[in-house]
Amino acid sequence: MLTLTLNRPDKLNAFNPEMHRLLREALERAATQPEVRAVVLTGAGRGFCAGQDLSQRDMSAGAPPIDLSVSLGSNYNPLIRRMRELPKPIVCAVNGVAAGAGANIALACDVVFAARSASFVQSFSRIGLLPDSGGTYFLPRLVGTARAMGLALFGEKLSAEEAERIGLIWKALDDDQLLAEAGAAARLLAAGPTKGYGLIKKALYASAGNLLDAQLDLERDLQREAGYSEDYREGVSAFMQKRKPAFKGK
Ligand code: T3D
């Protein structure tokens, strides 16, 4: 299991190019190292992540306008794609406020735990932007268009408990339990059938864009792959022998 901690606590872990680079490299390591079978993503200090570091944007009178598509195209979009395509589970432990891209990076994780004191803010509209980093994709799919629109337009803080209640995240936890419980969940996943988990991600994330027919075909194809895995053999054998399976992630 690999724990990644966003670590610019003075700025509530807002993203600058260096933090993008470090996270990108860490996710590459997670992808290529077979011993990494689950990832935990959390933040240092009192925040999870406040999105883009706004102090890096020159808004003085004579400054030229910024083409934000460059930032999304080179940093945020590849990051979200990497996270969703990683064939291993990513557990998010949202330790504090998650705002702007920070909120949507949390939602791009596969399972989201949040401390009760944490909150989610689609703060983009407060500075004249629209939700990015997958926000306009994740929000309506997770909570429906009415709630997505309210969250995006008003940019109000949503508490962790409310986020759990409306299905935006998996679980809100007592603050002092967050890292222990998210860590335990990640360890459980890290000892599981990694290949199967990767296929679960693939199937569930494809379903939003598929009709039932296509999804059934995809399930058939992915189940073929799962059925060829060593872990499937081990899972069935362990069940028949009434013992705990020892999955190897293969
Ligand atoms: O530009 C591009 O590349 C395009 C891509 C955009 C993606 C995005 O993420 S756009 C959205 C950017 N993020 C925001 O708009 C959020 C801005 N922050 C806030 O709204 C609030 O800080 C929070 C709701 C996150 C937390 O509020 P609160 O009251 O708990 O804390 P605070 O006092 O506002 O912030 C604490 C410090 O962090 C403060 O610094 P100081 O005064 O103690 O020196 C604040 O300036 C700093 N901080 C918070 N967020 C950012 C930040 N500094 C730089 N960039 C930030 N995003």
Side-chain angles (χ1 to χ4, degrees):
M1 178 182 110
L2 179 69
T3 298
L4 304 178
T5 305
L6 305 174
N7 194 12
R8 298 184 74 219
D10 295 348
K11 300 254 184 190
L12 299 180
N13 306 317
F15 271 92
N16 65 1
E18 172 73 352
M19 202 166 92
H20 271 295
R21 187 183 62 77
L22 290 172
L23 184 54
R24 198 163 43 235
E25 287 174 2
L27 286 169
E28 275 325 302
R29 280 200 301 282
T32 51
Q33 293 179 349
E35 64 274 20
V36 174
R37 291 168 60 190
V39 174
V40 176
L41 181 65
T42 191
R46 76 171 177 91
F48 171 71
C49 176
Q52 171 63 34
D53 185 336
L54 297 175
S55 67
Q56 307 240 318
R57 299 284 173 254
D58 183 0
M59 293 294 134
S60 56
I66 299 175
D67 178 355
L68 295 181
S69 77
V70 174
S71 168
L72 297 196
S74 54
N75 284 324
Y76 291 98
N77 289 358
L79 168 63
I80 300 301
R81 290 195 178 104
R82 191 61 194 107
M83 293 170 71
R84 299 294 272 207
E85 285 163 11
L86 191 80
K88 304 170 182 183
I90 306 179
V91 174
C92 197
V94 182
N95 53 300
V97 63
N104 296 331
I105 287 164
L107 300 183
C109 294
D110 305 308
V111 183
V112 186
F113 293 94
R116 278 188 216 291
S117 66
S119 54
F120 296 81
V121 200
Q122 294 293 325
S123 51
F124 303 88
S125 59
R126 295 196 205 166
I127 55 169
L129 298 183
L130 67 144
D132 60 26
S133 304
T136 60
Y137 180 91
F138 302 136
L139 289 169
R141 284 170 173 79
L142 288 167
V143 298
T145 303
R147 283 185 168 125
M149 195 61 89
L151 291 169
L153 289 178
F154 297 122
E156 289 171 358
K157 272 190 184 176
L158 185 76
S159 71
E161 284 182 354
E162 189 62 2
E164 178 189 321
R165 195 187 67 77
I166 66 174
L168 189 69
I169 65 166
W170 175 235
K171 254 182 204 170
L173 299 167
D174 290 341
D175 285 26
D176 59 358
Q177 295 298 307
L178 176 73
L179 289 181
E181 290 212 25
R187 274 191 297 280
L188 187 80
L189 292 169
T194 313
K195 210 165 188 182
Y197 291 155
L199 297 172
I200 289 174
K201 282 182 68 163
K202 217 179 217 180
L204 282 178
Y205 294 148
S207 81
N210 275 344
L211 294 176
L212 177 61
D213 252 359
Q215 192 66 17
L216 288 171
D217 287 350
L218 181 67
E219 288 176 0
R220 177 201 59 209
D221 294 345
L222 298 181
Q223 203 71 298
R224 179 189 303 120
E225 261 186 72
Y228 289 150
S229 71
E230 286 181 31
D231 283 340
Y232 169 64
R233 192 173 286 262
E234 167 62 9
V236 175
S237 305
F239 176 79
M240 295 310 294
Q241 294 161 14
K242 300 190 186 303
R243 61 174 173 82
K244 226 177 127 210
F247 292 119
K248 295 202 181 92
K250 293 181 182 164

